[in-house]
Amino acid sequence: FPVPPLRAPLPFPLPSRWLPPPPAAPAKEVKEPKGIGTLDPMGNLRQSDEKVYGFALPLGSLVTDREARLQRHLAACANASAAERLPVVRRIARLVGIRGDHSAATLWFERALELARRAESANDIAETSISLASAYRLTGRHADAVTAASEGLDIASELGNARAIGVGAWCLGTLARQDGDAREARQWFLRAIEAGTARGRGMALESLAILIRREAHTVAQPEQFFQRAVSELMSAGDPAASAHASGNLGCLYIDAQRIQDARAAFEYALDTGRRVGLTASVAFGRAGLDLCDALQGRRVQTKEPPEFAMPLALTCHYVAQALQASASAESAPSPPSLWSAAGSAVSPWSI
C-alpha cells in the first residue's frame, strides 16, 4: 500500500509535552433550557458534548446525566419542528451509544433519521444514516448496516461532506472486513484516508494497520499507519481514539520485541487517559505497561482485570499475568496471542 501523506505532526516519541492540554475547569451549573429557542444544538451544547462524546465510553454518570437533561428538554419541546428537534435526538442517540446500549441507540438514530427526512435536510440524512449504519452493525443487522451506510455515503458524496464521506467509507470497510473481504475493506479504508477529514483518516489508518498486521504479520507498514492514525486523531481533537491507536501501536511493538518503544506508546495512552478522564485509555495503557514489565522480568502491579477495558487491553493483562505466574519472560508472545483481539476503538457515533 502507498503510505498516505502525513497531514499532522507525528507525535512519537511521546513525552508529556505532546499530550493534549488539560480540559478547562467545569462550568457552573447551567439552568435547564425553557424553550427550543434557548437551546443551541449546533453551538454551545454541541461543543460541550464533544468533550463527553470524544469516544470516552466509560464516563458513566456524566454521560447519563447529560442524556437525562436532553431527554427532559426534548419532552418539553414536543411541539417544535422536526428540524429543531433533530439535533437533540441525534445527541441523545450518541450518548446512549456511548454508554453501550446499542439497541436503544439504534431506535434513537432511526427516530433521528425520520426527523431528518421530514426536515428535508440532505446533509442530516447523510450523517444520520451513517451513524445508524454503525448502530446496526453493533446490533448484528449487517444487511441493514450496508444499506444505511451506502445511502448515507452516496448523499454525502453528492454534497461534498468530507467528514461523512470519511466515516461512511470507514464503516463500509469495517463491514467488508467482517464479511471476510479484505480487498474490498482496503479499498474503503483507502477512500476514507483520501477523502475524509482528520478523524475519518485516523479511523481508516488504524483499521488498515490492523488489517495488514493480521494478514501479513509485518511491522514496518502497520507501524507507519498507526503513527499517522495517532497523529490524525490527535489533530482531530479526539484524545480517546488517539490513545487507543497508540495502545495498538504498543502491541505491535510488543510483537516485534521492541519493549522500550512499546512503553512509550502505552505511557502515552495511560497519560492521555488520566489527563482527560478516559477510563478505557487508562486501562489499556496500564495493561500494556504491565505486559512490558512481565516481559522484562519485573513485578506486575495490576492483579485484577481492568474495568471498561477493550479486548486487546484484556489480552495484554492476561498475557502479563501468565508470564508473571510462570516467571518466564524470555520471549515476547507470538503475534496472534495479541493481535487476534485487536480492533479499532473508534466510536460509531462519529458524526
Side-chain angles (χ1 to χ4, degrees):
F1 300 102
V3 178
L6 182 62
R7 307 194 188 196
L10 191 64
F12 285 85
L14 295 164
S16 60
R17 66 178 179 273
W18 284 104
L19 296 176
K28 295 182 180 179
E29 183 178 356
V30 179
K31 293 182 179 180
E32 192 75 23
K34 296 183 179 181
I36 199 74
T38 66
L39 180 65
D40 181 10
M42 301 305 290
N44 294 332
L45 178 62
R46 182 182 181 117
Q47 290 170 7
S48 64
D49 269 347
E50 284 296 337
K51 296 176 184 177
V52 177
Y53 155 79
F55 307 103
L57 298 179
L59 289 181
S61 61
L62 186 58
V63 171
T64 304
D65 291 347
R66 192 174 298 275
E67 176 194 335
R69 180 166 62 86
L70 286 172
Q71 292 210 39
R72 289 195 302 271
H73 178 70
L74 184 65
C77 303
N79 296 325
S81 68
E84 290 173 316
R85 283 180 289 145
L86 170 60
V88 185
V89 173
R90 284 180 62 182
R91 181 59 55 188
I92 293 171
R94 290 167 178 157
L95 291 173
V96 172
I98 283 172
R99 63 176 173 79
D101 191 346
H102 302 307
S103 296
T106 299
L107 297 176
W108 279 104
F109 275 122
E110 288 176 338
R111 182 177 175 184
L113 183 57
E114 180 183 352
L115 290 172
R117 296 190 192 281
R118 287 168 56 186
E120 299 181 347
S121 171
N123 195 62
D124 287 319
I125 292 172
E127 295 193 351
T128 307
S129 294
I130 291 170
S131 291
L132 177 59
S134 288
Y136 283 149
R137 178 177 64 84
L138 291 169
T139 52
R141 297 171 60 178
H142 189 90
D144 290 334
V146 172
T147 300
S150 299
E151 178 186 1
L153 183 58
D154 288 344
I155 298 172
S157 299
E158 292 178 4
L159 298 174
N161 184 334
R163 181 175 64 169
I165 291 171
V167 178
W170 168 82
C171 183
L172 286 169
T174 302
L175 291 165
R177 187 177 66 187
Q178 290 178 347
D179 279 338
D181 192 338
R183 181 176 181 179
E184 183 179 350
R186 290 190 200 100
Q187 292 174 346
W188 284 120
F189 292 148
L190 288 172
R191 181 177 177 185
I193 293 168
E194 292 169 359
T197 58
R199 177 169 283 130
R201 289 193 299 271
M203 294 160 69
L205 283 162
E206 183 182 16
S207 295
L208 187 58
I210 292 170
L211 186 67
I212 296 171
R213 178 59 181 168
R214 282 174 170 167
E215 287 188 335
H217 299 301
T218 60
V219 172
Q221 196 169 40
E223 177 184 8
Q224 295 177 54
F225 284 6
F226 277 132
Q227 289 176 342
R228 282 159 172 75
V230 173
S231 178
E232 294 284 7
L233 292 167
M234 179 187 294
S235 69
D238 194 341
S242 176
H244 192 274
S246 183
N248 273 335
L249 177 61
C251 291
L252 184 74
Y253 287 143
I254 288 290
D255 288 346
Q257 301 186 35
R258 293 165 55 180
I259 307 302
Q260 290 307 116
D261 289 334
R263 279 191 179 277
F266 288 130
E267 284 172 356
Y268 171 75
L270 178 64
D271 291 344
T272 301
R274 285 174 172 170
R275 196 100 177 226
V276 294
L278 303 171
T279 310
S281 299
V282 171
F284 201 171
R286 183 69 268 164
L289 290 172
D290 283 344
L291 180 53
C292 291
D293 287 341
L295 289 168
Q296 293 181 325
R298 301 175 183 174
R299 185 176 182 83
V300 174
Q301 301 298 319
T302 308
K303 300 299 182 184
E304 298 298 324
E307 292 186 288
F308 305 114
M310 300 290 181
L312 189 51
L314 288 172
T315 301
C316 289
H317 170 79
Y318 289 123
V319 172
Q321 294 298 318
L323 288 171
Q324 183 81 55
S326 64
S328 173
E330 297 177 357
S331 62
S334 60
S337 66
L338 288 181
W339 223 249
S340 61
S344 173
V346 179
S347 165
W349 329 119
S350 307
I351 56 175

